[in-house]
Amino acid sequence: MASLQISNYESQIPADELLIARITKLHASISKLESLRPSKQTNSLFTHLVKLCTLPSDIDIANLPQEVQQMRKSLINLCGRAEGLLELEFATFLSKLPEPLDNLNLFPYYGNYVKLANLEYKILAENGVVHPKKVAFIGSGPMPLTTYILAMHHMKFTQFDNFDIDEAANDVARRIVATNGEVEERVKFETCDVIDVKEKLGEYDCIFLAALVGMSTEEKVKIIGHINKYMKEGGFLLVRSAKGARAFLYPVVEENDLIGFEVLSIFHPNNDVVNSVVLVRKPYSYMAA
């Protein structure tokens, strides 16, 4: 009877308010974890969180109360740290297998990455980017699955340069590609802060910006502006964002954060893919004669 009363009560609460209440409760549980390293409890909480955040939702992050904004900011940081630890654990495990690139499907969210990479390749192809010579991925992490999937299945002659601030992440990623000579020849890793990468950014036909590079709007805008300054004219930038309840997992990039770029495509998923995909191009500057 009690559960029925709760159910009746909940049915009177607007769906978005109920969703935020449930996300807030999960945030409280995650905040109390002794460690964000993969474990039965940690995995269960984050799996539940992702399922909640990928429900259909019209939540407008910009209009949330201040306390919810603060909770969201904390949750994104917790998710980012947990994601990094999960990737590092699995990448270390895979690096010890004879053929790690043939066993990427052991990673729990591999299917989501395949869908996302396929989607991103489709969007790029629709905008004329089919066989780029050089691609950069900023914020590649220990399990650069997008790079692996694109390099092995979609862009088989493209050179990929992966930039990450964490040498431990790059080290294990290098060990994985070292098991495949053909992939190793085309997939490289560099440890640095993207703000320190300047002229080199002008070498790439397309640059991917991972969702967790730039956790606040200010940081994200600074990084996007830096990329715009140094990337080549006519080059493409693919930015991962989030919309609705998915924005409790990842930072949001709005159109007005992309000053200096021509917006070509904005895609918001409605399946189990979490990230929105925004494709922009740096316009050519035509000098007057």
Side-chain angles (χ1 to χ4, degrees), residues 5-6 16 24 32 42 82 105 132 148 164 196 207 229 263 266-267:
Q5 289 173 341
I6 291 168
D16 286 348
T24 302
K32 291 173 186 170
T42 302
N105 60 310
Y148 296 156
D164 200 278
D196 297 325
I207 297 172
K229 180 179 179 180
V263 178
I266 299 176
F267 181 87

Side-chain angles (χ1 to χ4, degrees), residues 6-230:
I6 291 168
S7 178
N8 287 339
Y9 169 71
E10 287 189 341
S11 69
Q12 298 170 32
I13 303 174
D16 286 348
E17 285 186 29
L18 190 58
L19 186 57
I20 290 170
R22 288 174 172 167
I23 291 170
T24 302
K25 189 175 178 181
L26 273 174
H27 169 258
S29 298
I30 291 168
S31 299
K32 291 173 186 170
L33 290 170
E34 288 184 12
S35 170
L36 292 172
R37 294 184 183 282
S39 69
K40 189 173 180 179
Q41 185 184 18
T42 302
N43 297 350
S44 174
L45 286 170
F46 279 105
T47 298
H48 190 183
L49 178 66
V50 171
K51 285 181 179 176
L52 272 182
C53 291
T54 49
L55 290 171
S57 159
D58 295 320
I59 291 172
D60 182 357
I61 293 299
N63 292 329
L64 293 176
Q66 190 59 41
E67 65 271 18
V68 180
Q69 295 277 12
Q70 288 300 114
M71 181 275 290
R72 172 181 169 256
K73 184 177 178 181
S74 168
L75 191 54
I76 289 173
N77 276 288
L78 290 166
C79 288
R81 285 160 53 200
E83 186 176 311
L85 291 167
L86 177 69
E87 287 191 12
L88 185 60
E89 179 167 296
F90 266 87
T92 303
F93 163 70
L94 285 173
S95 70
K96 295 171 183 175
L97 299 180
E99 300 291 342
L101 291 173
D102 292 337
N103 290 283
L104 296 176
N105 60 310
L106 296 175
F107 185 68
Y109 299 107
Y110 178 71
N112 294 60
Y113 277 94
V114 170
K115 289 177 186 176
L116 180 58
N118 290 347
L119 170 65
E120 290 173 332
Y121 180 71
K122 181 174 179 282
I123 290 169
L124 286 168
E126 287 170 351
N127 286 277
V129 188
V130 183
H131 301 296
K133 288 183 179 177
K134 290 193 78 173
V135 166
F137 197 103
I138 297 167
S140 47
M143 281 278 282
L145 285 167
T146 302
T147 292
Y148 296 156
I149 294 162
L150 291 176
M152 294 190 294
H153 301 291
H154 298 295
M155 300 177 181
K156 296 184 178 181
F157 302 100
T158 299
Q159 171 75 41
F160 290 84
D161 288 350
N162 297 275
F163 296 91
D164 200 278
I165 203 163
D166 186 351
E167 176 57 29
N170 280 334
D171 179 60
V172 71
R174 283 190 199 100
R175 277 187 273 145
I176 288 174
V177 299
T179 62
N180 184 310
E182 191 279 324
V183 176
E184 184 182 28
E185 202 170 293
R186 293 187 294 115
V187 176
K188 306 299 179 187
F189 298 91
E190 191 167 327
T191 304
C192 59
D193 186 325
V194 65
I195 294 297
D196 297 325
V197 185
K198 297 180 179 177
E199 285 73 19
K200 191 174 177 66
L201 292 174
E203 298 176 7
Y204 302 104
D205 303 303
C206 179
I207 297 172
F208 284 72
L209 183 63
L212 292 172
V213 177
M215 299 292 271
S216 67
T217 299
E218 294 75 19
E219 286 177 311
K220 190 80 78 172
V221 167
K222 180 184 177 183
I223 290 163
I224 289 170
H226 175 79
I227 293 169
N228 177 271
K229 180 179 179 180
Y230 290 100

